[in-house]
Each structure stands twice: as structure tokens, then as C-alpha cells.
Amino acid sequence: MPSRVNPAFERGLQQIEKAHNETVLARAHSLSAKFEKNQEENIRAIKSTFMPHLNLTDAESKGSQQTIYVPRPPEKNLRGVDRSHPLKPIQNKGINSNVTALGSCSSSMTPTTETTVTKKKERRALSAFRGLEPEPPSEPIKPRNKSSRFRRLLTPPELFSTASNTAEQPLFQEEALTTPELGLMQAFSLLKALDWEKKVAGLKYVRALAEHHEEVLIPKLHDIVLLVMQEVKNPRSAVARAAMATLGHMYIHLKKAMHKELDSTVSVLLLKAGESNNFIRDDVERALGHMLQNCNPKRALNALVTTGIGHRNAAVRQCTALNLQKLAELMKAPRVLSNKSDFTRLYLVSISQLALDAAQDVRFHARNSLRLLSTHKDFNKMVDKFIPQKEKPFIRSIITKLRA
């Protein structure tokens, strides 16, 4: 026999279902009333905003010929500004009913009249005015920087005379490693990987070692520098920029330990300056600026002159002339013309050759260097002593024009 259900249990289930249905109905009625109330408030707010000049009592007492105001779509000019009046008057004849501020008519309106305004059209017309209130002024949108992917990397370095502390600031500030020996092994393995993101992570290890654990990095410095130089030539710009920033980081923190690597690192940076990408050139100039401020001036001059003076690419020669100008501004004229350890001869011969270059940008930086040095009392004597005989007349004419 089928088992009988307890009647008390059935009654309990019925009571629960009835209470649930009553709760749902009450919630639905509440939401419906709230929606109608909000709709009435919105219509009232629109009336008071866009038709404050209308008086309802006057409109009700004007008789059979009334003016019904219906909204028309806004006319926008090219800038998207509404310059039209939001209301369009329509003369409605033969209507003996009350007229509301929005032109709603009673049911006694003649059905054949062409100007009959229904509630549906009123709601559609009112919806055209939503969102036309003036918005508060917002902050101007800043243009996106193209270099934001890589910490908005490098801004063009200014000359030392105008911003002597700008080039000294390192691009990255890395945290110390808990196990620097393991970090050195990780740097080698990541730099030899094929994935470019692993290469960037390996360069981060190199920067951390150079900043906090130079005693671990210096014994393997040459091998690390070779790997970093290889990444400077990487066709992916993110890796190449990270490698150039790493070289600048090493110039700042390792200083004299980088002297043996100057010729190779400066050469690869100058060759990278021959590319047309402005971001790459800015990164090269920043790295070379760190090199000038933290390494021996004579070694820096030798490294710049060896690669940059006779290069075919005008961009490479321009970068060389710019850094020679920075070097003169950093050392000042008395030190440049001190005639110690053959520095003065090499500098004057190089700068005079660049001052007669075919490219205008190269001549510009070289002649700026000559202008700076020409203020010293021994300049003419050094020119007579070191400048080649065939270039002396041209250099003297340039100096005369610069002094004029």
C-alpha cells in the first residue's frame, strides 16, 4: 500500500507556499509603485527644467484655442552643442479640454485632428531631452605616453650645464637579493633564454647585482657585459631598451670597474644611435650621459672618438659630437685645455674635425664646444699647437664668427 503523507506536513507546505506567494506579490506591487513614483518625479523635473516659463493655471483658462508645446529633436552643430530652443509651439484649434504643460490632451479631443498628441508620443519626445543637462567640467585627458609599457622609460637627457643632476639619477632602483650567487646564475640562464620576457628578467638581476652585490658581479663582469651588449642589438625594442638602461646602471654603480669595458660598450651604444627610432636614441644618450659622469674622462673620450668620429652614419657622428659637448661642459674649459696626458690634443683634433663635418647637426654641437672653449685664455695657443695646418684657417674663421 502506498504510504500516506502526514496531513500536518501537507498543511505546513501549503502555508509556506502561500506566504512565499504573498511576499512575491507584495514585492512586485512595491516595485511597481516605486517605478511609477520615479517616473512622475522625472517628468516633473523635466517640466521644471525645460519649461519654467509656462504657467499651468494660465494654460487651463485660455479657452478653445490653446498653444500646445511639444518638444522637437535638438539641432546640434559640429561641436555637438544644442543651440535650438527645446520647445516647438503648435497652434491647435478646436480643442475644448485642458492642456498640460507638455501638451497632453484629454480624451475629448477630436480623433481626426492632425495635431493630436498622444501620451506615447509625449513619452517619446520627453526621452529626447534626457541627458541634455550640462555636465560638470571634467579634468583634461592627458595624452598617452608611448613609452608607458616600459616604465615610461627615458626622457631625452639635457646637457649638464642646464640639468647637472638629471643624468646622475638611475633609471631603476632594484632591491637587494637574498642569495646573490644564485641571482648571478639566474642572470646567466635567463639572458641565454630565447623568450624575450626572460631576457628582461635576467637584465633585472644584473641591475640588482650591480647596485647591491658588486663583489659578486665583478669577477664575472666581462661575461655579463658581453651578454648585455648582445641584448642591446636585440631587434625587440623592449629588450634593447632594458639592456641600454642596464649598461647605464652599471656605469653608475660600478664606476672604475667598467673602464676595461668602455670601448666595447660605448661602441655598441653609438652604433645603436644610428637607428631612426627616437626612443632608442634617447636611451643611448642617457646611457652615455651616465658613462661621462661616472667614468674616467680620458677613457670616455677615447671610446667616443674610436667609433664615432669617422662613422658613415651622420646620426652616429651627431651623437658623438653631442657627447663631446657634454664632456666639455662637465669638465669646463680649464681642465679640457690643461694639456695633461694628451687629452687636450685628442679633444681639439676630434672637435675640429666634427666642426667641419658635412652634416649640420654634427657641426652645431662641435661648434658649441668650440664656443665654450674659446673663452679660455690659452685657447688660441692650444689651437696653434694641436690643430692640423690645413684645418687652422677654417677653425679660426669659425671661432671669429662665434665670438662676433
Side-chain angles (χ1 to χ4, degrees):
M1 294 180 64
S3 60
R4 298 182 60 184
V5 181
N6 190 352
F9 180 72
E10 288 185 352
R11 287 195 300 271
L13 288 177
Q14 292 176 0
Q15 290 178 1
I16 291 173
E17 184 177 0
K18 182 178 179 181
H20 176 71
N21 292 338
E22 290 177 354
T23 303
V24 172
L25 289 175
R27 179 62 177 169
H29 287 305
S30 174
L31 291 175
S32 177
K34 185 177 180 181
F35 175 77
E36 292 177 357
K37 182 179 179 181
N38 292 339
Q39 188 176 12
E40 292 177 359
E41 291 178 356
N42 292 336
I43 293 176
R44 193 179 302 111
I46 292 172
K47 290 179 182 179
S48 61
T49 302
F50 295 101
M51 291 169 287
H53 56 283
L54 292 182
N55 192 348
L56 296 180
T57 57
D58 294 339
E60 293 176 356
S61 61
K62 282 187 179 180
S64 61
Q65 294 186 359
Q66 301 291 340
T67 299
I68 300 177
Y69 288 86
V70 295
R72 64 182 180 183
E75 299 175 0
K76 296 184 177 180
N77 58 6
L78 294 178
R79 293 181 177 272
V81 180
D82 183 16
R83 301 189 181 280
S84 62
H85 195 279
L87 301 178
K88 178 182 178 181
I90 299 177
Q91 294 294 332
N92 191 2
K93 299 180 180 180
I95 299 178
N96 298 321
S97 60
N98 295 333
V99 182
T100 63
L102 290 176
S104 60
C105 304
S106 64
S107 59
S108 62
M109 186 183 298
T110 307
T112 59
T113 306
E114 296 181 358
T115 58
T116 303
V117 182
T118 61
K119 291 185 178 180
K120 184 176 180 180
K121 291 183 178 180
E122 290 177 15
R123 290 194 296 269
R124 188 182 302 169
L126 286 174
S127 63
F129 294 101
R130 294 173 183 172
L132 293 180
E133 293 84 354
E135 298 180 356
S138 58
E139 297 181 358
I141 300 176
K142 298 180 180 179
R144 182 180 177 182
N145 195 334
K146 294 183 180 180
S147 60
S148 59
R149 180 185 178 186
F150 207 70
R151 291 193 187 183
R152 303 179 185 263
L153 264 180
L154 305 175
T155 56
E158 300 180 2
L159 299 182
F160 297 126
S161 60
T162 57
S164 58
N165 296 327
T166 302
E168 184 64 29
Q169 297 298 327
L171 181 62
F172 297 97
Q173 291 184 354
E174 306 294 348
E175 297 181 356
L177 301 177
T178 54
T179 54
E181 293 80 6
L182 180 60
L184 182 62
M185 296 174 58
Q186 287 285 345
F188 274 110
S189 61
L190 291 173
L191 287 174
K192 293 178 182 179
L194 298 179
D195 187 7
W196 70 272
E197 293 181 347
K198 292 182 179 179
K199 292 180 180 294
V200 173
L203 293 170
K204 183 178 177 66
Y205 274 107
V206 174
R207 293 194 297 271
L209 290 168
E211 185 173 350
H212 301 286
H213 313 284
E214 60 180 87
E215 68 281 356
V216 178
L217 180 62
I218 287 177
K220 297 291 184 179
L221 182 60
H222 181 69
D223 298 332
I224 286 289
V225 167
L226 290 178
L227 292 175
V228 175
M229 287 168 51
Q230 185 177 354
E231 300 310 323
V232 171
K233 304 174 186 177
N234 195 303
R236 184 176 286 273
S237 61
V239 181
R241 297 181 72 190
M244 288 183 284
T246 303
L247 285 180
H249 210 74
M250 296 168 74
Y251 289 141
I252 292 174
H253 296 286
L254 300 182
K255 299 184 185 300
K256 293 182 179 181
M258 290 292 291
H259 285 172
K260 294 181 180 180
E261 312 295 337
L262 277 186
D263 291 338
S264 56
T265 55
V266 171
S267 176
V268 73
L269 288 173
L270 286 177
L271 294 177
K272 197 68 177 177
E275 297 187 3
S276 59
N277 192 329
N278 291 331
F279 294 109
I280 298 295
R281 292 185 181 182
D282 295 342
D283 297 349
V284 170
E285 292 176 7
R286 176 178 281 262
L288 291 176
H290 292 318
M291 182 270 298
L292 292 176
Q293 284 201 333
N294 296 278
C295 297
N296 183 271
K298 185 182 178 182
R299 292 177 180 269
L301 177 63
N302 287 329
L304 289 170
V305 170
T306 301
T307 303
I309 290 294
H311 200 273
R312 295 181 179 180
N313 194 331
V316 176
R317 300 197 304 274
Q318 177 190 353
C319 184
T320 304
L322 174 62
N323 284 278
L324 290 181
Q325 179 186 350
K326 290 181 179 181
L327 184 60
E329 293 180 352
L330 181 64
M331 296 180 62
K332 306 302 180 183
R335 288 185 62 192
V336 175
L337 301 175
S338 62
N339 195 18
K340 292 182 179 179
S341 64
D342 208 26
F343 180 88
T344 304
R345 183 193 62 81
L346 181 59
Y347 189 90
L348 288 179
V349 170
S350 303
I351 210 67
S352 62
Q353 182 177 345
L354 293 173
L356 300 175
D357 195 90
Q360 181 179 0
D361 294 336
V362 180
R363 297 196 306 269
F364 173 76
H365 295 297
R367 294 180 182 186
N368 283 343
S369 302
L370 289 176
R371 181 188 293 110
L372 176 64
L373 299 178
S374 63
T375 58
H376 195 265
K377 60 181 181 179
D378 296 334
F379 178 70
N380 293 329
K381 182 173 65 175
M382 294 298 172
V383 168
D384 294 336
K385 185 176 181 179
F386 296 118
I387 300 298
Q389 190 65 32
K390 62 179 181 180
E391 296 179 0
K392 280 183 182 180
F394 303 103
I395 298 299
R396 288 191 179 280
S397 63
I398 291 173
I399 295 170
T400 303
K401 292 178 181 180
L402 293 175
R403 288 176 175 176

